[in-house]
Amino acid sequence: MSSEPESFDVVVVGAGPAGLAAAAVAAESGRRVALLEGSPWLGGQVWRTSDDPVVRASRLHSDDPVVRASRLHLPRFTSPEPVQENPPTSHGQTPPQPARTWINRGQRAGVAVFPSTTVVAAPAPGLLRTDRGTDFAWRRLILAVGARELFLPFPGWTLPNVMGAGALTLMSKTGLPVRGKRVVVAGSGPLLLAVAAELRQHGAHVVRVVEQADLASLIRFGLALPRLAPAKLWQGLGYAVRLLGVPYQTGCWPVAAQGHDTVETVTLTDGRRRWTDRCDYLACGFGLVPNLELAQLLGCQLDPTGVRVSHRQETSVPAVFCAGEPTGIGGAERALVEGQIAGFAAAEREVDVARLQAARVRHQRFANALARAFALREELKALAAPDTLVCRCEDVSHRELDHCRSWTEAKLHTRCGMGSCQGRLCGAATRFLYGWELPSVRPPIQPVPLAALALPPSRSDLETHNPAP
Amino acid sequence: MAESVTLTVNGVPVRVPAGTTIAAAVTAAGVTRFRRSVSGEPRAPLCGMGICYECRVTLDGLPHSRSCLLLCADHQEVRTDE
Ligand SMILES: Cc1cc2nc3c(=O)[nH]c(=O)nc-3n(C[C@H](O)[C@H](O)[C@H](O)COP(=O)(O)OP(=O)(O)OC[C@H]3O[C@@H](n4cnc5c(N)ncnc54)[C@H](O)[C@@H]3O)c2cc1C
Ligand code: FES
């Protein structure tokens, strides 16, 4: 039997910068707060690390069969400083200290943290269900579920060791040995530079970084920066990469990867000539796309760039807030600002919401400029050959999908999007390649263990679905 | 010095620092094929964050475990390509 849902004033989903900040400020405002995080780490994609005992502390609880209000017992750090802006360090990384600071603030204020707990459904208004079969009741809900990389199909992209750019970094931060490995970093966005710097730091030989955007567009972006934001991210990273002596080539993109058991070479182009680099890894991501499934499931309205929110981060569904990457790709600093606004708004601290508006607007301008500067070129739509797989779960090729006019039609004729990833990879790819709408979302939004599915419906389920005749 | 944990990957013992993911341990053990796709292609981690399901392994008899989201612990038995 699914246990009684535990009730909270505020439930925050996702423990990246946005979620950590939201949970901390809401709890500091006296609200009873739960923070649910699908991975065993706190800190989201940007602050993930295996070295930091605090960020990693959640693993102590990660194998509890039923994680119950596992208030983390973390070592305390003295005088946490409020962190608004995180200047990149000399090697271009955001230091993990802000993660520690926000985790400590949340912990002090009594945030109940549930690591390795993924929200998979919303069985009734005000109720969330997790992959553990546990239910959480909320009065205010904050979605801080972050983004994922955009993967575009090209010949050879399914070979082992062709990975996302951010993905290779995440994996190297958590133990993947990259020392001495030859890595080509390709795709688009400032993340590529962070990735190159990080991989270098872990001892990888970064052969080159290829960015699909044109130099002209990046120069326009660079010139606009002083006006856009105090965020020195871009300069910091560019500087770091130059310092590291890694060639950074703009207006270039991968056209194919080759290899037997794993990738061995990658063919790159600048639109005129082609050349081939040897590599042990191809780290390739074409920017980030927001994780929208949960917002879609809850019926939140979307904008072209993500979840539509008000200046208080409130979505079109009352009492549901959204912060960070799902509202538009803008990086960790923006996520921190939006997270705080959402946390304050959920606690009805409107003065603090107002205080952060200038920062919010500044980061939004920066995010808009980012999107313009790194817009994807048309040529990328032509990378897939007829036999290139577009759906990796069900091995559906470009040839099979090319003539379909919509996601619905594709599903009618093929098994595209019907595998384990539930269209998370191919949904974003087919949107770019064929202009299809995103696939619709059904619960559970992630495949869940049978144990969780087999649970009888909770009381609230019965109330909604089985009204007395 | 960081603590370490020992697990087996396809029967071979592997020792890794605490905090290592199973995906990283599998790679450290020299295994490049995590699973086979429906048409038989070799596959390995793509997203590193639980989205793509390409990193699935059998962990202690439990199939379809996403190795990029799981941390290594002593005595675990990992099998790939199942
Ligand atoms: C693979 C990858 C690597 C990146 N690496 C870097 C980097 O090195 N440097 C950098 O500056 N930026 C990096 N970024 C950019 C990153 O998106 C932002 O800088 C920052 O992490 C955004 O913060 P956030 O709080 O909005 O989201 P995130 O940090 O993405 O946090 C969202 C959290 O929500 C959790 N979550 C998602 N869905 C659910 C659910 N249904 N239930 C429970 N939990 C859920 C996720 O596990 C995640 O921890 C990376 C992005 C990606 C996708
Ligand atoms: S690597 Fe994508 S789910 Fe693990």
Side-chain angles (χ1 to χ4, degrees):
Chain A
M1 183 72 200
S2 176
S3 51
E4 271 301 281
E6 203 166 344
S7 295
F8 291 89
D9 297 323
V10 180
V11 171
V12 181
V13 187
L20 286 174
V25 304
E28 285 167 354
S29 313
R31 299 300 191 273
R32 194 172 131 75
V33 180
L35 178 57
L36 315 184
E37 166 56 49
S39 79
W41 301 277
L42 303 181
Q45 310 311 350
V46 53
W47 293 333
R48 182 191 298 188
T49 165
S50 66
D51 315 328
D52 190 312
V54 175
V55 178
R56 185 158 60 91
S58 59
R59 83 192 165 90
L60 296 177
H61 301 271
S62 64
D63 41 25
D64 285 1
V66 177
V67 179
R68 272 190 47 80
S70 51
R71 278 164 227 279
L72 292 181
H73 299 293
L74 304 175
R76 304 231 164 166
F77 287 79
T78 47
S79 63
E81 293 130 54
V83 181
Q84 307 284 344
E85 310 284 353
N86 316 306
T89 57
S90 55
H91 44 74
Q93 271 181 293
T94 311
Q97 281 84 347
R100 220 178 284 163
T101 304
W102 285 105
I103 292 168
N104 284 338
R105 277 179 65 173
Q107 187 211 5
R108 265 189 209 129
V111 172
V113 182
F114 298 80
S116 297
T117 303
T118 302
V119 174
V120 295
L127 198 69
L128 296 179
R129 180 158 301 163
T130 74
D131 58 346
R132 295 169 173 276
T134 48
D135 285 353
F136 289 82
W138 52 268
R139 293 158 60 87
R140 298 280 186 281
L141 174 62
I142 301 177
L143 305 178
V145 290
R148 54 178 176 259
E149 289 182 90
L150 173 62
F151 299 105
L152 296 179
F154 53 86
W157 78 297
T158 56
L159 275 170
N161 292 4
V162 177
M163 295 181 65
L168 186 59
T169 324
L170 290 185
M171 299 254 309
S172 72
K173 285 181 184 175
T174 48
L176 183 84
V178 294
R179 186 162 297 282
K181 301 288 184 198
R182 290 174 62 90
V183 185
V184 171
V185 179
S188 195
L191 182 59
L192 299 186
L193 296 173
V195 164
E198 182 81 32
L199 291 173
R200 276 289 303 249
Q201 215 206 325
H202 282 89
H205 170 47
V206 179
V207 179
R208 72 176 89 234
V209 181
V210 295
E211 163 62 57
Q212 59 86 38
D214 279 328
L215 185 59
S217 137
L218 298 189
I219 288 176
R220 264 197 309 279
F221 178 66
L223 291 176
L225 263 181
R227 187 165 54 71
L228 283 171
K232 299 284 190 331
L233 185 76
W234 174 251
Q235 289 111 312
L237 292 174
Y239 181 63
V241 169
R242 274 198 305 281
L243 267 189
L244 292 167
V246 175
Y248 179 61
Q249 286 170 266
T250 54
C252 296
W253 60 95
V255 288
Q258 303 87 12
H260 288 100
D261 298 330
T262 62
V263 64
E264 291 160 21
T265 52
V266 53
T267 304
L268 302 159
T269 185
D270 60 6
R272 290 180 303 278
R273 64 188 189 94
R274 289 183 173 206
W275 71 96
T276 297
D277 280 336
R278 268 195 316 114
C279 63
D280 301 308
Y281 284 99
L282 171 58
C284 183
F286 291 92
L288 302 179
V289 287
N291 291 327
L292 299 174
E293 291 74 18
L294 202 47
Q296 284 176 284
L297 190 69
L298 290 158
C300 303
Q301 278 175 22
L302 305 181
D303 277 336
T305 52
V307 179
R308 178 179 303 169
V309 289
S310 71
H311 70 286
R312 306 170 72 238
Q313 304 301 133
E314 194 163 13
T315 69
S316 61
V317 178
V320 177
F321 299 81
C322 186
E325 306 287 48
T327 68
I329 303 303
E333 291 173 44
R334 175 177 177 276
L336 274 178
V337 170
E338 289 202 353
Q340 291 176 76
I341 295 175
F344 284 132
E348 284 154 342
R349 282 176 56 176
E350 305 304 331
V351 174
D352 294 292
V353 170
R355 183 172 55 79
L356 287 168
Q357 288 306 307
R360 179 178 190 273
V361 170
R362 207 170 59 222
H363 283 292
Q364 193 47 50
R365 254 189 249 130
F366 180 73
N368 295 345
L370 261 185
R372 274 196 304 276
F374 293 95
L376 295 182
R377 59 174 60 241
E378 285 295 305
E379 288 95 323
L380 300 178
K381 293 184 181 169
L383 292 184
D387 61 350
T388 304
L389 298 181
V390 174
C391 167
R392 306 171 57 123
C393 293
E394 297 291 335
D395 288 1
V396 184
S397 68
H398 177 49
R399 182 191 292 114
E400 292 168 85
L401 296 174
D402 203 15
H403 62 273
C404 297
R405 273 160 313 180
S406 70
W407 187 258
T408 322
E409 200 181 316
K411 274 197 159 179
L412 220 58
H413 298 296
T414 74
R415 289 193 48 82
C416 184
M418 287 153 92
S420 307
C421 92
Q422 300 186 345
R424 277 178 172 69
L425 295 189
C426 54
T430 54
R431 185 189 207 182
F432 176 72
L433 292 181
Y434 314 126
W436 298 349
E437 291 291 306
L438 288 180
S440 59
V441 170
R442 290 155 177 256
I445 59 169
Q446 301 247 334
V448 291
L450 282 176
L453 273 182
L455 284 169
S458 71
R459 208 163 34 101
S460 343
D461 253 323
L462 296 173
E463 278 162 12
T464 359
H465 300 307
N466 301 331
Chain B
M1 211 35 237
E3 350 128 51
S4 66
V5 297
T6 305
L7 63 163
T8 64
V9 176
N10 299 336
V12 181
V14 190
R15 195 180 151 115
V16 295
T20 301
T21 58
I22 291 191
V26 168
T27 308
V31 175
T32 54
R33 179 164 65 195
F34 281 60
R35 70 175 199 102
R36 237 185 271 252
S37 77
V38 295
S39 67
E41 283 193 358
R43 294 288 169 79
L46 173 71
C47 75
M49 55 179 287
I51 299 281
C52 74
Y53 287 77
E54 292 285 27
C55 66
R56 279 173 283 170
V57 299
T58 301
L59 173 62
D60 294 335
L62 196 70
H64 307 303
S65 301
R66 280 173 295 170
S67 60
C68 69
L69 289 186
L70 294 164
L71 294 168
C72 295
D74 280 321
H75 313 303
Q76 281 168 328
E77 288 177 19
V78 180
R79 304 212 70 93
T80 61
D81 199 17
E82 293 200 325

